[in-house]
Amino acid sequence: MAYSTPPKYDPFSRLLHWLIFALLVAQFIVAWTMPGIHRGTQPVGLITWHLELGTAIVAVMIVRLIWRAVRREPAPVEGSAMLRSVARLTHGVLYLLLIAQPLMGWANASSRGWSLTLFGVIPLPPLSAEGSALGHEMGDLHSALAWGLLGLIGLHVAAALYHHFVLRDGVIRRMLPGA
Ligand code: HEM
Ligand code: HEM
């Protein structure tokens, strides 16, 4: 059955969804245009932008996780139980990666002895000791996992477009503005 008015996510969930989307678009562009980070690199210019955008993403994701725990989920759109499970799994892993991946970058930044702030003002604690091997490994994992995150986002967007253009079940409107 096609929905003319599908049950929507609440306005705050929609705001958080598109805020994270905008922050991630900026973050991927900055990540792949900033200078290479090596031993002794100083956190200046685009690298500072990467760190500031990254810690902002962690902060917004924490708000999003709390909101997800307390909000009321909209009723699911009718469809196959299998597709619904795949969607739930994809959303769950997206949440997981959007917390774990930036924390790994943070641990790497700490191991380089860089001090971090939230929004340029609130000092943040180090997540690993300066020079730590763990922080170093986390940096490699962070850069590699960024591809996994991008792949999953690609799958998610493809699913949204499939719903819109093939199934025509109104799912995309659940995340769009309007009553
Ligand atoms: C979801 C948020 C984030 C995304 C998508 C992301 C993405 C990336 C990507 C793609 C790279 C590799 C760049 C290259 O190929 O040269 C990278 C490197 C790096 N990122 Fe992030 N990042 C995020 C959050 C953070 C945060 C929160 C921090 C620290 C506070 C951070 C610190 C770093 C550092 C230090 C590197 C260099 C790692 C190394 O080469 O050892 N990132 N990031
Ligand atoms: C950075 C990119 C994106 C991320 C990380 C992301 C993440 C998520 C997450 C975690 C959810 C679950 C809802 C929640 O718990 O708040 C969701 C739902 C949704 N997203 Fe995205 N999203 C992204 C981009 C997009 C784009 C570009 C579109 C549209 C083309 C889109 C359309 C939707 C729709 C329609 C839903 C609701 C699905 C349902 O009703 O089950 N998303 N997204």
Side-chain angles (χ1 to χ4, degrees):
M1 189 188 80
Y3 279 92
S4 50
T5 51
K8 280 179 180 273
Y9 280 84
D10 61 276
F12 192 51
S13 291
R14 283 182 264 151
L15 176 75
L16 291 171
H17 178 270
W18 292 110
L19 180 60
I20 286 289
F21 171 73
L23 286 169
L24 279 176
V25 170
Q27 182 66 316
F28 274 106
I29 293 172
V30 169
W32 282 321
T33 48
M34 68 186 181
I37 297 174
H38 310 287
R39 192 184 291 269
T41 301
Q42 290 305 307
V44 291
L46 280 179
I47 299 177
T48 310
W49 275 97
H50 187 70
L51 305 179
E52 290 294 341
L53 278 168
T55 50
I57 288 171
V58 176
V60 178
M61 279 310 295
I62 291 171
V63 173
R64 200 169 168 187
L65 266 181
I66 296 170
W67 185 245
R68 181 186 161 105
V70 300
R71 76 175 176 199
R72 191 193 291 257
E73 287 270 344
V77 168
E78 278 179 32
S80 90
M82 218 271 282
L83 268 188
R84 273 213 298 276
S85 309
V86 172
R88 207 169 311 124
L89 183 70
T90 309
H91 296 164
V93 178
L94 276 172
Y95 268 90
L96 198 75
L97 282 184
L98 284 171
I99 291 284
Q101 204 263 349
L103 287 184
M104 288 170 182
W106 180 343
N108 181 261
S110 302
S111 75
R112 294 175 188 278
W114 298 349
S115 43
L116 301 175
T117 57
L118 179 60
F119 308 129
V121 278
I122 304 167
L124 295 171
L127 287 192
S128 68
E130 194 169 339
S132 90
L134 183 74
H136 180 78
E137 307 277 310
M138 288 291 134
D140 292 345
L141 209 54
H142 173 79
S143 303
L145 257 187
W147 287 102
L149 176 61
L150 197 64
L152 206 59
I153 290 171
L155 184 73
H156 173 72
V157 175
L161 297 178
Y162 179 72
H163 275 282
H164 187 64
F165 291 109
V166 181
L167 300 178
R168 296 168 187 268
D169 55 8
V171 158
I172 217 161
R173 260 176 278 152
R174 285 155 67 80
M175 256 320 160
L176 294 181

